[in-house]
Amino acid sequence: MELPSFYKHHDTIGKIVISERHIVYWRHNNYISILITGIWFVFSFIFPALAPELNHYYFLDFPLGFFLASFGSLVVYVLLVGFYAWYMNRMDHRYDVAEDEEENP
């Protein structure tokens, strides 16, 4: 299988050093990045646009539109960052591309 040019990495000798595992790793990274960006988009643009309609519903005694705009979106952003860090750390170890923690504490 011929690798696309953007997947190829050459060392100083000119040998291709990227493996099929690295391609799968980056494919997973792209999928999770697209998913997280989609969730971010919904909470940043879709829910605020629907805020007047969402204010008919209540969450913790606050109108839902107000709650999402003032507090809920921030919680979702923090959860997305935490999930991405956890997931990518897990993927780094799974595909054996994790940085050595002794070198970079």
Side-chain angles (χ1 to χ4, degrees), residues 36 76-86:
I36 287 174
V76 170
Y77 300 151
V78 170
L79 291 175
L80 287 175
V81 170
F83 172 76
Y84 182 75
W86 170 81

Side-chain angles (χ1 to χ4, degrees), residues 11-70:
D11 62 8
T12 56
I13 301 171
K15 294 174 17 182
I16 296 174
V17 293
I18 193 166
S19 70
E20 189 68 31
R21 285 179 72 99
H22 289 99
I23 294 171
V24 173
Y25 168 81
W26 281 107
R27 192 172 295 143
H28 282 197
N29 189 358
N30 288 337
Y31 290 150
I32 197 67
S33 297
I34 290 169
L35 175 68
I36 287 174
T37 303
I39 293 170
W40 168 84
F41 181 82
V42 168
F43 277 88
S44 296
F45 295 105
I46 303 298
F47 282 153
L50 299 174
E53 287 81 17
L54 292 174
N55 282 336
H56 298 293
Y57 304 101
Y58 287 85
F59 182 76
L60 299 177
D61 290 334
F62 293 104
L64 185 58
F66 169 78
F67 179 82
L68 289 176
S70 64

